[in-house]
Amino acid sequence: MAHVVATGAGKAMMERRADPTHDYILQLTGKERPRVLFLGTATGDDTAYIVSFYTTYDSDKCAPHHLPLFHRPVDDLATFVRGFDVIHVGGGNTANMLDVWKRQGLDVILRDMWEDPGSNVVFTGGSAGGICWFEGGTTDSYGPTLQVLPEGLGFLHGSFCPHYDAEDQRRPLFHASLLSGELATGYAVGNLQSVHFERSGDAVNFVTAISPVEDPLALRVEAIDGKIVETELPVKILQGTAPIVKGPSA
């Protein structure tokens, strides 16, 4: 069973070293010491971000690795990437990241992993690392004025809007794009919230939203009869390894 855990913030979440969201992701693999691959493409393989990853996903809890694509160290990309239990995508410029992935053929490799019926990989990340798994979303890839990105990987149907509680432009742009039909019905989360989906066979289902804090912001957002409807999602409030369920049962 493969999973997607899409989070609102990328680097800001990575810098929360003890955040139970990280443990939640690792536990989905069912392995004592999962192999975790960090893709920092969206920031041009920024060294500081990579160091932050290794500090948070340290060798005591997993086997961490990173894959730079601007100075690629491996020839057989498919064999290398398929050897990991978690694919963790950093935040940054979503559009540029997706373009680089396509040039390198990484988009096809990731899709094959996602669609493999025997796969138990967890695909995760925040901001750009959350948007990329959907069909589209809102992005700052093209400058300070937010725009719509309509060409994600499409592992998950619909759209994704991160930073819903942190950037003033996000909500109005998301609403406008849903009303115009530019984006399909989707999900919006605050910086610290995530949405979890799982694939079993050909079926992809929403599992729950998760949050390390009380009063989470996690919504399904859709346009109905020319109006925006925001519906609160069921949320697990994570406290160590004992989550508290809030809202409707997942």
Side-chain angles (χ1 to χ4, degrees), residues 142-215:
Y142 306 107
T145 301
L146 293 180
Q147 297 187 40
V148 170
L149 180 82
E151 65 273 357
L153 294 176
F155 290 9
L156 304 173
H157 292 305
S159 55
F160 184 66
C161 186
H163 310 298
Y164 215 54
D165 59 350
E167 296 178 2
D168 292 341
Q169 296 181 50
R170 292 280 177 177
R171 190 185 295 253
L173 176 61
F174 198 41
H175 288 187
S177 63
L178 292 171
L179 289 169
S180 70
E182 194 171 5
L183 290 177
T185 295
Y187 298 83
V189 296
N191 269 1
L192 300 182
Q193 283 73 55
S194 309
V195 282
H196 173 197
F197 298 80
E198 64 182 20
R199 180 188 181 102
S200 181
D202 292 330
V204 178
N205 296 303
F206 170 75
V207 179
T208 188
I210 61 173
S211 175
V213 296
E214 297 285 351
D215 299 320

Side-chain angles (χ1 to χ4, degrees), residues 15 22 29 38 40 57 96 99 104 120 122 126 212 215 217 237 249:
E15 291 174 346
H22 305 304
T29 68
F38 179 68
Y57 286 81
N96 288 358
D99 283 349
Q104 299 284 337
N120 190 36
V122 181
D215 299 320
L217 178 60
I237 309 298
S249 171

Side-chain angles (χ1 to χ4, degrees), residues 68-146:
L69 291 179
F70 288 86
H71 299 282
R72 189 172 127 182
V74 295
D75 290 322
D76 189 345
L77 197 61
T79 299
F80 179 77
V81 175
R82 287 172 183 155
F84 290 91
D85 305 299
V86 178
I87 305 297
H88 200 305
V89 179
N93 191 304
T94 315
N96 288 358
M97 175 185 76
L98 290 171
D99 283 349
V100 171
W101 285 3
K102 289 175 183 177
R103 281 286 184 180
Q104 299 284 337
L106 182 59
D107 59 328
V108 175
I109 295 168
L110 295 177
R111 177 171 295 280
D112 287 346
M113 293 171 67
W114 170 246
E115 295 180 348
D116 181 352
S119 173
N120 190 36
V121 180
V122 181
F123 300 89
T124 190
S127 193
I131 296 168
C132 64
W133 314 117
F134 290 81
E135 293 173 327
T138 59
T139 182
D140 57 2
S141 295
Y142 306 107
T145 301
L146 293 180

Side-chain angles (χ1 to χ4, degrees), residues 1-18:
M1 185 177 295
H3 304 264
V4 168
V5 180
T7 303
K11 191 173 183 181
M13 175 59 80
M14 187 69 78
E15 291 174 346
R16 290 172 59 89
R17 308 299 181 207

